[in-house]
Amino acid sequence: MGLLRIRLLGGFEAVRDGEVPQPVAHWPRPGARTLVKLLAVTPGHQLHREDVMAVCWPHAELSAALRSLRVALHAARHALEPELAPRATSSYLVTDGPLLRFAHDAVQVDVDEAERLARRTLEAGEVQALRAAARACAGDVLPEDRYAAWAEPCRERVAGLRGQVAAALAARTGGAEHRADDTAHIRLDWALALDRSGRYAEAVRVLREALDLYVERGRRDDCVRVAARLAEALARTGGEGPARAVTVLRRHAPEARTPPLARAAHHMAAARVLSYTGDYAQGLASAREAERCADQAAPQPAEAGTGTGGGGEAVALRVRALAQQAVCSGLLGDVTHAGVVAERARELAEESGDTALLAHVLSVSRENARRTGRPREALRHGARALALAEQGGRPTATSFERANLAELHLMLGEQEEAGRLARAAVAVAEPFGGTALAFALAALASVRAQAADGQGPAALLDRAERCARDGGHLQALEKVHAVRAACGIPAADPA
């Protein structure tokens, strides 16, 4: 049988002693991966089946969710134990009434081992042991699921222990360098959570603090990478955000000796900022340069303060670069090229197992299908993107996907479903305002204009235009103008 070892730090992997790990991308169902990950991040590695269904299939009817759970459980058992005979008991993933759990003596999770080692060494305080504990706690928990709310408690536990070990090691060695790296790393983790929840201004503040730490230490390569993240966050804040993003990118531009991953992150951020401001041709060129740099990057160990290894980060950057090329090409009218690069991005995203990355690419594929007159295909892509955004706890992405699905249902004459989705999009986007609310209000205005119910499509579009201008997002503004034209509603008098 062999001991099953599950790795969460640095990326998901499940392998039995003495065997080569099966690539998780080859698992037959994403639900099977999520089921195993859920059990692995849960203390005690035991969950009620209703808790699993609530995470994996939150909007399904009970009967459908139960069927999906049975399929995922079967797929997970056979992915972990391919030789398992039909109806035989799994050696690793067992049921106990309504409970699902790992077989305690047969499964080992790296986070458990890291936590035990950290606590033991914190009590002893021996320097070499503390260094070993620091290495054991290194890396992000499931970086491919960085936006998944269900992984947050495990991330917080590991980050807390990592900080305690770093502080203890610094106190015994005077390691200011190590202390600065850990402080920056904690800020980068926190910025991801803020960005995921749509709190962009707070994410900007935290990223500035992390950047200042690396500037103080003279860590130029890390400065380039963190500046790229800061620029993308700034662009999402609206107003003067895109202009400030350009300043940050110029101030921390890569040099000839800058590693390919840092250069890729810089050019990717530039592509996003340029797209926000409507310079799609330059955005396309920057996205292509980001892809080229990502292709140059060889897999490497996780670096202090970055939270990911080179291989996974290179794949993610390449996928994002391809997706951005699809966005810019589509907006420039080259829908053929947009479709080709979007398909390449989707294949890589599916293989990566990164649900947030896949959701983004599916959103791009949805828009390409809509532009080329394939609304049903667009609906399929959009529905998957929405499910992943909801599962990952990303409210602004959830609102955006609902707004786009509402417009697709409206195109197909399905007004009731379009209205439901548009109203839900507005409800989610209200606390955030800006770009997310602009798209949601535009979708609701389209629904009301087509229904001719007289409930203020013009007022909705006036508000949507104000939100789009506040958000500083040219695409949102163009969307509002397109809806005005389609509905025959003139722009509001500026006076």
Side-chain angles (χ1 to χ4, degrees):
M1 177 180 69
L3 180 69
L4 176 68
R5 301 179 187 274
I6 294 179
R7 180 170 66 90
L8 304 179
L9 292 163
F12 177 66
E13 184 178 81
V15 60
R16 295 191 291 187
D17 278 352
E19 295 187 3
V20 176
Q22 179 187 11
V24 294
H26 294 172
W27 286 34
R29 292 182 179 272
R33 292 197 297 267
T34 303
L35 172 59
V36 175
K37 291 176 183 180
L38 274 172
L39 288 172
V41 300
T42 301
H45 309 303
Q46 176 175 286
L47 282 169
H48 196 284
R49 65 183 182 184
E50 291 182 1
D51 294 327
V52 176
M53 291 188 293
V55 170
C56 295
W57 305 281
H59 303 294
E61 296 291 336
L62 178 60
S63 58
L66 283 169
R67 285 195 299 274
S68 297
L69 177 61
R70 285 195 292 270
V71 171
L73 185 58
H74 178 270
R77 283 170 167 162
H78 285 271
L80 298 173
E81 201 172 358
E83 74 278 9
L84 187 65
R87 292 184 292 279
T89 301
S90 171
S91 303
Y92 307 113
L93 185 51
V94 299
T95 54
D96 185 3
L99 299 178
L100 306 178
R101 63 177 176 82
F102 288 151
H104 298 302
D105 296 332
V107 181
Q108 185 181 89
V109 181
D110 65 344
V111 165
D112 295 346
E113 298 301 304
E115 288 180 324
R116 280 193 288 269
L117 177 60
R119 291 193 176 96
R120 189 164 62 245
T121 55
L122 283 169
E123 291 177 3
E126 199 272 326
V127 169
Q128 290 303 319
L130 285 168
R131 286 176 174 153
R135 289 192 296 271
C137 293
D140 281 347
V141 173
L142 297 175
E144 69 273 20
D145 294 300
R146 64 182 58 181
Y147 297 109
W150 47 265
E152 283 303 309
C154 183
R155 285 197 185 94
E156 290 175 3
R157 290 198 315 273
V158 173
L161 281 171
R162 186 189 296 129
Q164 292 178 52
V165 170
L169 189 57
R172 286 159 177 78
T173 64
E177 175 90 9
H178 188 90
R179 190 160 56 243
D181 281 345
D182 189 72
T183 302
H185 188 99
I186 290 169
R187 279 171 169 75
L188 292 173
D189 285 347
W190 179 230
L192 278 176
L194 292 169
D195 189 81
R196 180 197 68 209
S197 61
R199 294 154 65 184
Y200 302 130
E202 293 177 67
V204 165
R205 176 182 57 79
V206 174
L207 286 167
R208 283 193 186 280
E209 292 171 356
L211 179 58
D212 288 344
L213 285 166
Y214 285 130
V215 169
E216 181 183 341
R217 301 301 305 172
R219 302 276 289 275
R220 293 188 60 84
D221 295 343
D222 286 316
C223 287
V224 172
R225 297 169 82 156
V226 178
R229 285 185 54 183
L230 174 58
E232 291 199 40
L234 277 167
R236 286 192 285 271
T237 61
E240 296 297 317
R244 290 172 181 159
V246 171
T247 300
V248 167
L249 289 173
R250 286 175 178 167
R251 186 174 297 157
H252 300 284
E255 302 172 337
R257 53 163 291 281
T258 303
L261 277 179
R263 284 188 278 118
H266 172 87
H267 292 296
M268 186 64 238
R272 294 298 297 271
V273 173
L274 288 162
S275 294
Y276 266 87
T277 57
D279 193 345
Y280 305 127
Q282 284 300 311
L284 177 59
S286 291
R288 284 172 171 160
E289 184 63 16
E291 180 193 6
R292 188 185 70 81
C293 293
D295 286 344
Q296 290 177 352
Q300 54 190 276
E303 298 178 11
T306 62
T308 60
E313 188 177 356
V315 171
L317 280 166
R318 183 166 186 244
V319 171
R320 292 183 65 218
L322 287 167
Q324 193 62 31
Q325 289 175 49
V327 169
C328 292
S329 294
L331 291 168
L332 289 167
D334 189 351
V335 293
T336 301
H337 182 256
V340 170
V341 291
E343 184 61 26
R344 284 165 57 199
R346 191 152 55 90
E347 289 173 359
L348 286 171
E350 294 273 14
E351 292 173 3
S352 75
D354 185 331
T355 54
L357 197 62
L358 179 57
H360 172 60
V361 175
L362 286 167
S363 184
V364 174
S365 296
R366 181 253 307 138
E367 189 61 12
N368 284 341
R370 185 195 65 77
R371 282 198 184 103
T372 51
R374 295 170 289 151
R376 290 295 177 189
E377 182 180 337
L379 277 176
R380 289 195 299 274
H381 291 317
R384 283 190 71 195
L386 174 59
L388 291 171
E390 291 175 329
Q391 181 179 321
R394 300 165 63 215
T396 54
T398 296
S399 173
F400 182 71
E401 295 304 331
R402 285 176 177 170
N404 279 280
L405 284 172
E407 293 189 344
L408 285 166
H409 282 288
L410 198 61
M411 287 172 57
L412 294 166
E414 298 162 356
Q415 287 192 347
E416 184 176 348
E417 182 64 7
R420 183 189 70 80
L421 284 162
R423 289 189 296 272
V426 171
V428 171
E430 281 282 6
F432 303 97
T435 302
L437 186 54
F439 280 109
L441 289 168
L444 185 57
S446 295
V447 171
R448 289 187 174 174
Q450 194 166 115
D453 62 6
Q455 295 183 27
L460 288 172
L461 287 171
D462 291 345
R463 188 180 175 206
E465 185 159 345
R466 291 194 297 273
C467 290
R469 293 189 186 281
D470 290 344
H473 196 300
L474 186 62
Q475 284 177 252
L477 196 58
E478 290 172 345
K479 167 61 73 175
V480 175
H481 292 167
V483 174
R484 281 193 189 280
C487 299
I489 298 173
D493 187 344

